[in-house]
Amino acid sequence: MNKLSASAKVYLIIVFIVLYAPIFYLIFYSFNSGGSMNHFESFTLEHYQAVFEDSRLLVILINTVIVALLSALISTIIGTLGAIGIVTVKDSKMRNTLLSLNNVLIVSPDVIIGASFLILFTIAGIKLGFTSVLLAHVAFSVPIVVLMVLPKLLEMNTSLIDAALDLGATKKDIMMRVILPYIQPGIFAGFFLALTYSLDDFAVTFFVTGNGFSTLSVEIYSMARAGISLTVNAISGLVFFVTVLVVIGYYFVTSRATKRTEGQQ
Amino acid sequence: MKSLIQATIAILVVSALLFYAADALSAGGGKGGKNTLTIFNWGEYIDPDLLKEFEEETGIHVVYETFDSNEAMMTKIQQGGTAYDIAVPSEYMIEKMKEENLLIPLDKTKLPNLKNIDPYFLDLPFDDNNQYSIPYFWGTVGIVYNPSLVSDLDFTSWEDLWDPSLKRKVFLVDGAREVIGMGLNSLGYSLNSLDDHELRQATDKLITLAPNVKAIIGDEITPLMINNEATVALTWSGQAADMMFENEELDFAVPEEGSNLWFDNMVIPKTSKNIDGAHAFINFMLSADAGARNADYVGYSTPNIAAMDLMDEEVVTDERYYPSEEQRDTLEVYKNLGPDYLGKYNELFLEFKMSIR
């Protein structure tokens, strides 16, 4: 940080202000007793109270988090295995084809993915609800995890594996003790990205929700026609707060882990 | 490796706890197994207390879901997957759903409260004899404006929008039917016109409005009007009511040449598995008490005459929301234009949009 010039620092600060100002603006008004985001009247916690009293909204919030956690977990497992699989493909043409197919899924519009899933699920007779939302979220998160894990795998020196083989490691040992620990940062990055993708996705989720199961993004979106109430600000504030806590927690866990490994060395 | 396993276990434990919490919370509503009613409505379009009351009265468990556009709603009903028992589409969508055979005819004998509805809103062209639909809320298309920011214009005529003093001040909703319809109305034509010559004239007239147009947008107009950042906007009466609730300076007018009368209606889709429950719900919402409370909560105009007696006098006599019969005669409901003319309307709307610089 000390190496940054003054102008670079100012630039960095401006970027962060631009990124965070809307969020803090929104949270600021969640404490407004005025009922709208026009002018601040006085401090109140009534909107937070409204969130905790509205059991329907709470269930939706919890559903959103469950889907995000589980879909991120499953897609991380599938995506990591997929990335390892892609790397082991020796034929470069084949490997490029696989990667392109993976990328197509990332760039294809959400609406198309959502509508396709709706058709698929209804044909397959899967009832819309928790399962369909979870499956859809896993599906659109896997390609992202693959992309997050892949650079770490490519960066890994293959002589590490050769060395392990020379020392008599089995395939399982190589996977557990060499590859996975090495690509761990990529796996966590993939997990967190999948988590955010799942939390904020509207278009795909809208098509596959049903039978009373809904997520926050779908709910907030449909509120927009009648004007979004400050309850939404309050719930967004809560989600933001929890996210910050998770990130801080993750930071402490990883920094402690690095210190420990550094200490061992 | 160890931390990967730890993280996985932590996530699974947290998910299980959350599952338990969600289950405990929704169990409060008393999941009645088979006897449930799934309602698909616009967001923020019902007083949540009414749902609870309906559950207590009938013992039917209500599952409530929301949508944000007629098109999205129809896609989900068409595909099945969820057994929606009630949906609340707008009038033109009902015509479409009828054509696609997505609706179940209503049994009027189960709807005694239908007598509460103003006959004026029954038997309309989009659904003869209300075979499939019952009006839920209605409204108009008009102009919301801030009188202190416009000099002596009162928008009793669409012509006022063309006033030179409004240069770069007019906001329009992003809807082909609304904008082209306004063009047609301003010339005294029907907003369901299928006459190419009239449509051409209307578009040419709209193009002369271009210098006054600031933007063509959707819901974003509400905060702009509330904060006095916008002067004049073409919008729906319900949206205008929201704006006027927040900013008392604003006023709303429906020009005399005529305008659109819109409806959102309760229907029973083909997917319904609880047709009796659906009728019970419609009848419940048609009662004077439920109608009045719902209109108070949502702020749109109710077609329920009996409910209007229970509501605030000031609201129901406000001709901006409940226009006089004389004025209603100038209002028209959208007819289904058929794919050819719908395409033409969209094309002309695009032509108008491109003329704005």
Side-chain angles (χ1 to χ4, degrees):
Chain A
M1 277 300 264
N2 297 330
K3 280 176 193 159
L4 283 177
S5 67
S7 57
K9 269 184 195 163
V10 170
Y11 177 73
L12 197 65
I13 290 169
I14 291 174
V15 168
F16 271 97
I17 289 176
V18 169
L19 287 177
Y20 276 88
I23 299 175
F24 285 125
Y25 181 75
L26 182 138
I27 293 176
F28 176 69
Y29 275 101
S30 71
F31 297 107
N32 182 14
S33 66
S36 75
M37 286 179 66
N38 300 321
H39 45 85
F40 196 85
E41 267 175 26
S42 63
F43 179 87
T44 176
L45 284 174
E46 62 179 90
H47 303 299
Y48 287 88
Q49 203 185 336
V51 171
F52 287 107
E53 273 168 12
D54 188 345
S55 61
R56 195 177 99 85
L57 204 57
L58 271 189
V59 169
I60 288 173
L61 176 64
I62 293 175
N63 283 343
T64 313
V65 177
I66 294 175
V67 168
L69 283 175
L70 287 184
S71 73
L73 179 66
I74 298 170
S75 54
T76 306
I77 294 169
I78 298 175
T80 307
L81 294 177
I84 294 171
I86 288 176
V87 168
T88 49
V89 172
K90 287 285 174 298
D91 181 12
S92 70
K93 231 183 198 171
M94 183 69 183
R95 192 199 283 194
N96 278 334
T97 316
L98 284 174
L99 267 177
S100 309
L101 286 175
N102 185 58
N103 292 347
V104 165
L105 286 176
I106 293 179
V107 293
S108 50
D110 280 0
V111 182
I112 307 290
I113 298 181
S116 321
F117 270 117
L118 176 60
I119 295 167
L120 176 72
F121 289 147
T122 43
I123 289 176
I126 297 173
K127 237 180 135 199
L128 296 183
F130 174 73
T131 323
S132 62
V133 174
L134 185 68
L135 285 175
H137 280 210
V138 168
F140 69 67
S141 300
V142 166
I144 297 150
V145 176
V146 170
L147 273 203
M148 297 307 289
V149 175
L150 215 54
K152 272 278 160 196
L153 277 170
L154 294 175
E155 175 195 297
M156 192 172 84
N157 196 335
T158 41
S159 43
L160 279 178
I161 296 173
D162 295 336
L165 283 172
D166 285 346
L167 292 170
T170 60
K171 269 188 179 166
K172 192 183 154 214
D173 287 336
I174 292 173
M175 188 67 153
M176 294 295 187
R177 292 167 180 236
V178 181
I179 299 180
L180 282 181
Y182 192 88
I183 61 171
Q184 192 174 315
I187 294 177
F188 273 108
F191 173 79
F192 279 103
L193 209 57
L195 196 71
T196 19
Y197 258 67
S198 167
L199 276 179
D200 81 354
D201 180 79
F202 163 72
V204 177
T205 318
F206 174 80
F207 285 102
V208 292
T209 45
N211 294 310
F213 185 90
S214 183
T215 68
L216 208 54
S217 58
V218 175
E219 190 60 23
I220 292 177
Y221 205 86
S222 62
M223 280 179 180
R225 193 172 90 138
I228 292 172
S229 65
L230 291 185
T231 316
V232 173
N233 287 31
I235 210 162
S236 310
L238 288 175
V239 173
F240 180 73
F241 182 66
V242 171
T243 318
V244 169
L245 279 187
V246 171
V247 171
I248 291 175
Y250 173 66
Y251 173 79
F252 273 112
V253 169
T254 46
S255 64
R256 208 185 55 193
T258 6
K259 258 187 214 144
R260 206 170 46 207
T261 42
E262 273 167 6
Q264 279 167 2
Q265 284 162 1
Chain B
M1 191 57 214
K2 213 172 128 199
S3 56
L4 281 178
I5 293 169
Q6 276 172 351
T8 310
I9 293 170
I11 292 162
L12 289 175
V13 169
V14 171
S15 305
L17 285 176
L18 287 173
F19 253 124
Y20 180 74
D23 209 45
L25 273 171
S26 53
K31 272 187 184 168
K34 261 207 128 185
N35 200 10
T36 59
L37 188 73
T38 312
I39 299 169
F40 206 22
N41 198 353
W42 298 86
E44 304 262 283
Y45 215 39
I46 200 167
D47 181 349
D49 289 342
L50 288 174
L51 293 178
K52 272 182 215 144
E53 206 173 293
F54 177 73
E55 285 188 328
E56 278 162 21
E57 244 175 56
T58 57
I60 298 174
H61 175 65
V62 173
V63 176
Y64 191 74
E65 278 184 51
T66 52
F67 60 85
D68 74 303
S69 78
N70 278 303
E71 286 69 20
M73 180 269 318
M74 179 159 156
T75 313
K76 289 200 76 174
I77 287 183
Q78 219 165 5
Q79 279 300 329
T82 305
Y84 294 113
D85 298 304
I86 298 267
V88 189
S90 307
E91 73 292 302
Y92 73 97
M93 197 40 87
I94 290 176
E95 281 197 292
K96 254 192 177 166
M97 293 173 86
K98 258 162 50 180
E99 276 168 27
E100 307 264 341
N101 260 327
L102 292 175
L103 301 178
I104 292 175
L106 300 171
D107 181 355
K108 300 276 173 54
T109 57
K110 288 181 187 158
L111 303 172
N113 283 338
L114 191 57
K115 63 175 194 307
N116 289 339
I117 298 288
D118 187 342
Y120 179 84
F121 300 114
L122 296 173
D123 196 16
L124 288 162
F126 62 87
D127 183 21
D128 289 334
N129 206 13
N130 287 77
Q131 217 190 331
Y132 298 98
S133 68
I134 300 291
Y136 184 71
F137 279 121
W138 64 281
T140 54
V141 170
I143 297 165
V144 60
Y145 63 103
N146 189 332
S148 65
L149 297 178
V150 292
S151 52
D152 51 79
L153 292 172
D154 57 5
F155 300 98
T156 45
S157 163
W158 288 114
E159 220 51 54
D160 286 354
L161 278 182
W162 274 263
D163 195 278
S165 70
L166 294 180
K167 201 162 170 47
R168 293 243 158 273
K169 282 184 179 165
V170 177
F171 289 80
L172 299 176
V173 288
D174 194 1
R177 291 299 300 265
E178 281 76 18
V179 175
I180 300 288
M182 174 196 95
L184 287 162
N185 279 146
S186 71
L187 291 164
Y189 299 141
S190 158
L191 47 70
N192 292 312
S193 175
L194 295 179
D195 182 322
D196 288 341
H197 181 64
E198 289 179 6
L199 284 169
R200 187 68 254 158
Q201 269 183 291
T203 313
D204 290 341
K205 172 125 196 225
L206 281 174
I207 289 171
T208 62
L209 179 69
N212 279 0
V213 176
K214 170 95 174 170
I216 300 182
I217 51 179
D219 291 324
E220 307 93 301
I221 187 69
T222 310
L224 291 175
M225 286 303 298
I226 291 172
N227 297 332
N228 289 332
E229 283 166 49
T231 321
V232 179
L234 174 77
T235 188
W236 296 277
S237 57
Q239 209 181 354
D242 283 345
M243 297 173 195
M244 286 152 70
F245 180 73
E246 299 289 345
N247 181 350
E248 283 169 7
E249 272 180 57
L250 299 177
D251 207 346
F252 180 73
V254 180
E256 279 165 358
E257 292 99 332
S259 183
N260 166 236
L261 180 69
W262 57 257
F263 288 94
D264 288 331
N265 312 269
M266 292 181 276
V267 298
I268 305 181
K270 267 270 149 70
T271 52
S272 173
K273 284 190 180 139
N274 188 355
I275 298 175
D276 282 343
H279 279 94
F281 182 76
I282 293 178
N283 197 44
F284 172 79
M285 291 306 290
L286 288 178
S287 75
D289 178 53
R293 279 161 56 197
N294 205 26
D296 270 343
Y297 182 89
V298 179
Y300 279 48
S301 311
T302 178
N304 191 326
I305 293 189
M308 283 166 72
D309 291 340
L310 304 175
M311 288 166 64
D312 192 349
E313 178 86 16
E314 218 173 285
V315 175
V316 290
T317 52
D318 191 335
E319 293 203 350
R320 293 175 302 191
Y321 307 125
Y322 294 93
S324 62
E325 276 186 35
E326 193 183 325
Q327 198 191 352
R328 280 192 221 157
D329 286 340
T330 65
L331 301 175
E332 270 183 284
V333 181
Y334 288 134
K335 286 189 190 130
N336 189 5
L337 300 168
D340 286 356
Y341 269 88
L342 195 63
K344 188 159 248 163
Y345 270 65
N346 283 330
E347 214 168 278
L348 292 173
F349 183 49
L350 192 63
E351 188 186 327
F352 164 61
K353 273 183 168 175
M354 286 193 300
S355 73
I356 297 166
R357 285 173 216 288

